[in-house]
Amino acid sequence: MILHDFIDFATLRVIWWALLGVLLIGFALTDGFDMGTGALLPFVARTDVERRVVINTVGPVWEGNQVWFILGGGAIFAAWPPLYAVSFSGFYLAMFAVLAALILRPVGFKYRSKREGERWRRNWDRALFVGGAVPATVFGVAVGNVLQGAPFHLTPDLMSIYDGSALGKFFALLDPFSLLCGVVSMSMLLMHGAAWLGLKTEGAIAARARRYGSLAGLVAAGGYALAGLWLLVGIDGYRFVEAPSPDGPSNPLLSDVVREGTWLVAYLERPWIAVAPLMGFVGIAMAVRGLRAGRDLSTMGWSKMAILGIVSSVGLTMFPFILPSTVDPNSSLTVWDASSSHLTLFVMLGATVIFLPLILVYTAWVYRVLWGKVTEADVTEKGESLY
């Protein structure tokens, strides 16, 4: 028996769908508070010293946190090649905006303190704000477009085709529902960043962060509820006319898909997935309560629970669809027909079993070493401040 036959193709596909979710959630949990902190920078810090305190809470860890983003992109490329090709083609300018904003962040960290001038430092503070706010919003807009479906179709040789110009496709992404999802994403990560600042700072900075974080949490909860209602009454879902073979060939055109009903029918078919949105709402409620009460450590935990619930609810609601097509539903990409080969998924799983625990252990060690609050004394004493 060939080694990879010990795990059947269908199981490997589900495992890699779950692992992709783990990587994206890991990115939201870790780099999410970096982006939230950057977006909060102009509001919670009013002096140069305060801004340096805020920057130093994330400066030592942002690079390690961004590893999850790279791993997620790599997993899409290797495990779900059609998804990589279709999404990066259709969302090209949106991805460019995200990458441009993410590039501003390390440049801002490195150059901000190279000169003493107030104008110089404020301009780099604006760059750090953009580096946090733009990705946090665009990722939510992308999720909104995935839920509605993307305007592509596949040719008989499985080449993805988008109609229209690149600029037209970019503005087409900014429909009302997707913008609402962008608001949910942005406010959710603002709450997460505020929870981080409450944990890592003290005094006026922490107080302001808790105030803004509480407001952001309320916006996130309201936006998430409105998005769910919108999905119920205003957006069609997708379903198979006849269920495909879970271990069939990776060719979406062999499936028969129609667009009708609602995505939320999934909660009738698999009631257990309701735990995800429940975690989202409970996590937000408890995080807001914790921010108002000044419970720093538990608030961070509740904020993570909220993100876990909200992000996972999207994947669980859509399963087995990954990226539906509004132009030709039969071109929609699903777990059962958009993966790499059986052998490829098995080899990748072996590498993941070895290296993912090492990443988790190293990350835990880094946070253990950097545990504690950043104070104004830390950033003013020579040798203590990185930025």
Side-chain angles (χ1 to χ4, degrees):
M1 179 181 289
I2 300 175
L3 184 60
H4 65 268
D5 286 338
F6 282 104
I7 306 179
D8 64 82
F9 198 10
T11 301
L12 278 172
R13 281 170 159 166
V14 174
I15 288 173
W16 271 102
W17 169 81
L19 282 174
L20 177 59
V22 168
L23 295 175
L24 295 179
I25 291 171
F27 171 62
L29 292 179
T30 55
D31 211 34
F33 69 70
D34 293 348
M35 291 185 286
T37 298
L40 284 169
L41 178 61
F43 306 101
V44 300
R46 297 179 180 174
T47 67
D48 183 67
V49 172
E50 288 183 346
R51 287 189 283 273
R52 289 179 64 196
V53 169
V54 172
I55 292 169
N56 273 273
T57 64
V58 297
V61 297
W62 74 267
E63 288 179 288
N65 293 341
Q66 201 158 289
V67 166
W68 294 97
F69 180 57
I70 298 169
L71 288 174
I76 294 174
F77 174 78
W80 309 99
L83 175 62
Y84 183 91
V86 172
S87 60
F88 277 68
S89 296
F91 302 156
Y92 181 79
L93 287 181
M95 291 291 185
F96 184 84
V98 168
L99 292 176
L102 290 177
I103 288 170
L104 281 176
R105 183 164 59 174
V107 177
F109 284 139
K110 298 301 181 184
Y111 280 87
R112 184 189 184 278
S113 295
K114 295 296 184 182
R115 291 172 56 181
E116 296 288 342
E118 180 179 352
R119 182 178 179 183
W120 169 270
R121 292 188 171 185
R122 284 196 175 275
N123 284 336
W124 287 118
D125 290 340
R126 294 186 183 100
L128 291 172
F129 169 78
V130 171
V134 170
T137 304
V138 172
F139 287 135
V141 170
V143 170
N145 278 273
V146 169
L147 283 165
Q148 295 179 95
F152 73 94
H153 68 275
L154 300 177
T155 64
D157 59 356
L158 300 184
M159 178 182 293
S160 61
I161 303 295
Y162 278 84
D163 297 326
S165 65
L167 191 60
K169 289 184 286 187
F170 174 75
F171 284 109
L173 300 176
L174 305 178
D175 62 274
F177 177 75
S178 297
L179 290 175
L180 173 62
C181 292
V183 170
V184 173
S185 175
M186 177 67 172
S187 55
M188 176 181 72
L189 296 186
L190 284 175
M191 180 188 71
H192 199 40
W196 173 254
L197 288 175
L199 183 66
K200 294 292 290 183
T201 65
E202 56 189 15
I205 298 174
R208 295 184 199 117
R210 294 183 185 112
R211 184 166 62 251
Y212 285 113
S214 298
L215 178 61
L218 296 177
V219 173
Y224 186 47
L226 179 58
L229 180 61
W230 202 325
L231 282 176
L232 178 63
V233 301
I235 295 176
D236 291 334
Y238 290 73
R239 68 173 181 85
F240 291 109
V241 174
E242 184 176 347
S245 173
D247 57 357
S250 292
N251 184 348
L253 296 179
L254 299 179
S255 301
D256 192 4
V257 176
V258 294
R259 187 178 189 184
E260 64 179 22
T262 170
W263 282 121
L264 300 189
V265 72
Y267 291 88
L268 298 177
E269 299 171 347
R270 306 187 301 274
W272 62 270
I273 68 174
V275 68
L278 181 62
M279 288 173 62
F281 283 116
V282 172
I284 291 175
M286 295 303 294
V288 170
R289 183 181 179 185
L291 284 167
R292 291 177 173 177
R295 301 189 189 100
D296 299 330
L297 186 59
S298 62
T299 298
M300 194 66 186
W302 289 117
S303 180
K304 288 178 181 291
M305 175 177 156
I307 293 175
L308 172 62
I310 291 173
V311 176
S312 62
S313 69
V314 176
L316 291 171
T317 299
M318 294 182 63
F319 182 86
F321 289 89
I322 303 175
L323 183 61
S325 167
T326 58
V327 176
D328 175 23
N330 289 338
S331 295
S332 299
L333 307 181
T334 76
V335 172
W336 310 131
D337 54 30
S339 72
S340 292
S341 69
H342 191 174
L343 177 59
T344 299
L345 296 183
F346 181 79
V347 172
M348 290 173 57
L349 181 61
T352 302
V353 169
I354 295 172
F355 290 106
L356 187 58
L358 294 177
I359 293 173
L360 292 173
V361 169
Y362 175 75
T363 301
W365 177 78
V366 168
Y367 280 94
R368 175 67 183 87
V369 170
L370 297 174
W371 188 256
K373 293 184 180 291
V374 179
T375 66
E376 292 189 7
D378 292 331
V379 302
T380 54
E381 294 178 6
K382 185 176 181 180
E384 293 294 327
S385 176
L386 293 173
Y387 305 99

